[in-house]
Each structure stands twice: as C-alpha cells, then as structure tokens.
Amino acid sequence: MNNKDAFRDYLQMEKKYSPHTVNAYLTDLGYFETFNKLQFDQENIDQVNYNQIRSWIVSLVDDSLSNVTVNRKIASLKAFYKFLLKTKQIEVSPLLKHKALKTSKTLQIPFSEKEVADALTHMQNPAGFEDIRNKLIVDLFYTTGMRRAELINLKLMNVDLSSCTIKVLGKRNKERILPVLPIITKQFSLYMKERLCLESIVDNEFFFLTKKGLKLNDTFVYRLINSYFSAVSEKVKKSPHILRHSFATHLLNNGADLNSVKELLGHSSLASTQIYTHNSLSELKKVYKDAHPRNQK
C-alpha cells in the first residue's frame, strides 16, 4: 500500500471524514502530483520542499482561483504531510511555516422569515411526486437545519414518524436525532405514498429519490433550493446552506438559546454556532432601541 492509499484509509477510518471530503483531499493531492511531475519531473510528492509547493500556489493564483479555493487545496496537502509526520515517513512538514492566503470574510445573509414563508406559499397544495418531494425538502431544511449531505444521505429506516424524529449522519460520521414538527409529518406521509408509486426504485435505502428512483445529488438539491427562492428573494446566495443559516438565525431571533441551536445544527463547539448570532444581535438591538425607557424621552 502506498502512502496515498494509506492516507485515504486514515481519513476514512481514523478521521471519519465523509466520502465527499476524502475525495476532495485526494483530488487536490492528485493535482499537486501532476503539477510536480510536469514542473519538477518528480512523481513522488512524499519528499518535496516548500519552493515546489509555492510554485504550485503561484500557478493556482495565476489560473484565477480564489484565495479561499487555494487555501482549501493547501489544507489538503497540509493534512497529507501531517499524516506522513504521524506515521514517521518524514521528519518535518514542508508546510511548517506556510501562512494561508488572506481572504475577505463574506457575510452569510439568511432569508427573512417572510421570504421563507413566501417560498412555501408558492409551493402550497403540491400535486404529484416531484412537487410533494420538493416542498418536503424545503420544509425539512428550514425546520431542522440539516446539512445538504445529511438530507441527501437520509436513510428510509432513519425516519420515525411515530416519534416525529429523524436520525441523520453528520460530519465525521456523528449521528444525531432531529425532531420533526407535527405539521411536517403529513407531508412525509404524502411523499411516501407517492414514492411507493414510482415505476422503479434503484436506491431504495435512501429516503429522497428522483422520479427515476435514484438517490439525489448535490447539484440537484442546490438547483432545487435556488429555483424556489429565486422567485421570492433578491439575495445573491440562495442555497441549502443559506436555508440552514436561516433556520439558526430565526430560532435565535425568536428566543432559542445558543446551546440548543448548537445541538440541532450538529456543531462540535459553540464557536461554530456563534457565526449565526450577528443577525439575532441586530434583532436584539432593534427590540432594545424600541423598548428601553431612555429611548422614549
């Protein structure tokens, strides 16, 4: 087994990364291998110096890749050399003194409660498999805050309508139980009735399917959310993640405590959840300004 195969097993078995993440890491390594072979006539990337990596960074920037994308690719390399250090394949990482490229922080603007309500209003009284499925997907994103990958990989066996819960598999294969609002359970039943009428089902273990009976994919789900919210929102980003962002922000705006939102989102630390508080803080400021006696004078 070569180091790249061993690295893949390490990411899967020890780090418990998702197949999507593992594939992204290995793809980045593959790109660097190709670059290294063409530029330095060196096939083995186990033993490289920082100048070689820096040359790759320069080429990526020259190809107009964003600093965020470049940093992600270098993070894949950093993880690989960290693995080689851990397994005593190398003594010093070539990225030891590397500093990530500067990136500007982009504010994730959630949908307003009205925008979500308008989108769902446009989807009222769905008829047929696809319309019923699509409305359930939007509602499930907004009422549970689940990730796109968690929705795509939701298993039929992990939907329990008797207890109004679903079990999802989050990052690093961490399972969590999410409550389902009673108002949504009727939609689950409608969807299941339509699902049973599909002509053929290939990926039967998965809850959400295409009309051909196949498991959904990332692009399909992104386009679905983008399509429905383009009709009600002028925001630049209209994605499943923005809907998850809206879920968290609206909960906090309506009095939910940070720890509860953290658990629902499946975050390992409060630091990850706190990025959603800037919007609730603006709401809090409005309430404070409108209600404080000193502001009434």
Side-chain angles (χ1 to χ4, degrees):
M1 180 184 292
N2 61 38
N3 280 332
K4 196 172 176 183
D5 289 337
F7 178 58
R8 181 196 60 223
D9 292 345
Y10 164 75
L11 295 176
Q12 291 174 335
M13 308 298 184
E14 190 168 330
K15 301 300 285 184
K16 297 190 182 301
Y17 287 161
S18 70
H20 178 78
T21 301
V22 173
N23 184 58
Y25 274 49
L26 295 177
T27 299
D28 291 337
L29 283 184
Y31 285 143
F32 180 58
E33 277 182 329
T34 301
F35 174 84
N36 208 47
K37 184 177 180 181
L38 291 173
Q39 294 295 317
F40 301 103
D41 195 26
Q42 180 182 356
E43 292 192 20
N44 189 350
I45 62 170
D46 296 0
Q47 302 288 335
V48 298
N49 58 54
Y50 183 64
N51 286 336
Q52 290 168 270
I53 296 174
R54 183 171 174 76
S55 294
W56 189 45
I57 293 173
V58 171
S59 75
L60 293 174
V61 172
D62 286 345
D63 286 341
S64 299
L65 269 65
S66 70
N67 285 5
V68 171
T69 301
V70 174
N71 285 342
R72 196 210 71 225
K73 291 181 180 296
I74 299 306
S76 299
L77 283 192
K78 189 174 283 189
F80 177 65
Y81 292 117
K82 186 177 179 181
F83 165 73
L84 294 184
L85 274 173
K86 186 172 185 177
T87 55
K88 303 188 186 306
Q89 305 289 315
I90 59 175
E91 292 183 2
V92 180
S93 169
L95 284 159
L96 181 64
K97 297 182 179 180
H98 172 74
K99 290 184 179 180
L101 302 183
K102 290 184 178 180
T103 57
S104 57
K105 291 185 178 180
T106 55
L107 193 63
Q108 299 277 357
I109 303 175
F111 299 119
S112 67
E113 291 185 38
K114 183 181 184 304
E115 285 173 331
V116 177
D118 286 348
L120 291 170
T121 297
H122 286 187
M123 304 172 80
Q124 272 186 341
N125 304 316
F129 172 76
E130 290 185 296
D131 285 351
I132 290 171
R133 177 203 60 204
N134 294 353
K135 186 174 190 303
L136 178 56
I137 286 174
V138 173
D139 251 328
L140 206 54
F141 271 134
Y142 182 58
T143 59
T144 67
M146 66 197 309
R147 298 178 178 94
R148 174 167 50 177
E150 292 169 347
L151 180 133
I152 289 171
N153 293 305
L154 180 64
K155 300 286 181 68
L156 194 61
M157 59 182 275
N158 290 332
V159 175
D160 187 351
L161 294 185
S162 63
S163 64
C164 290
T165 60
I166 57 174
K167 183 193 291 183
V168 298
L169 190 64
K171 289 186 175 181
R172 301 195 181 186
N173 289 332
K174 289 182 180 177
E175 289 184 341
R176 70 184 188 284
I177 306 294
L178 295 175
V180 175
L181 294 177
I183 195 172
I184 308 299
T185 56
K186 183 180 178 182
Q187 292 185 53
F188 271 93
S189 299
L190 283 173
Y191 170 73
M192 285 305 300
K193 183 178 178 181
E194 293 290 334
R195 188 182 184 280
L196 288 170
C197 295
L198 290 175
E199 289 185 15
S200 66
I201 295 180
V202 179
D203 299 318
N204 190 51
E205 64 178 309
F206 295 100
F207 185 76
F208 285 110
L209 301 174
T210 67
K211 63 182 180 181
K212 293 182 179 179
L214 299 170
K215 176 186 175 185
L216 305 185
N217 59 54
D218 286 349
T219 303
F220 179 94
V221 177
Y222 173 83
R223 287 177 176 169
L224 187 154
I225 298 301
N226 188 273
S227 171
Y228 282 106
F229 279 87
S230 290
V232 299
S233 175
E234 294 183 356
K235 289 182 172 64
V236 175
K237 291 197 72 176
K238 295 176 276 287
S239 66
H241 182 72
I242 296 299
L243 202 45
R244 171 175 160 87
H245 189 51
S246 306
F247 160 82
T249 302
H250 297 171
L251 278 181
L252 290 166
N253 283 349
N254 286 281
D257 70 275
L258 201 58
N259 268 309
S260 298
V261 176
K262 167 184 168 291
E263 295 300 319
L264 289 167
L265 291 172
H267 286 158
S268 56
S269 71
L270 273 177
S272 300
T273 315
Q274 284 171 334
I275 63 169
Y276 298 101
T277 61
H278 70 275
N279 294 289
S280 54
L281 180 60
S282 64
E283 182 72 16
L284 193 60
K285 283 179 178 178
K286 181 179 181 301
V287 172
Y288 173 73
K289 182 179 177 182
D290 292 343
H292 199 282
R294 287 286 289 171
N295 202 46
Q296 311 307 314
K297 295 179 180 179

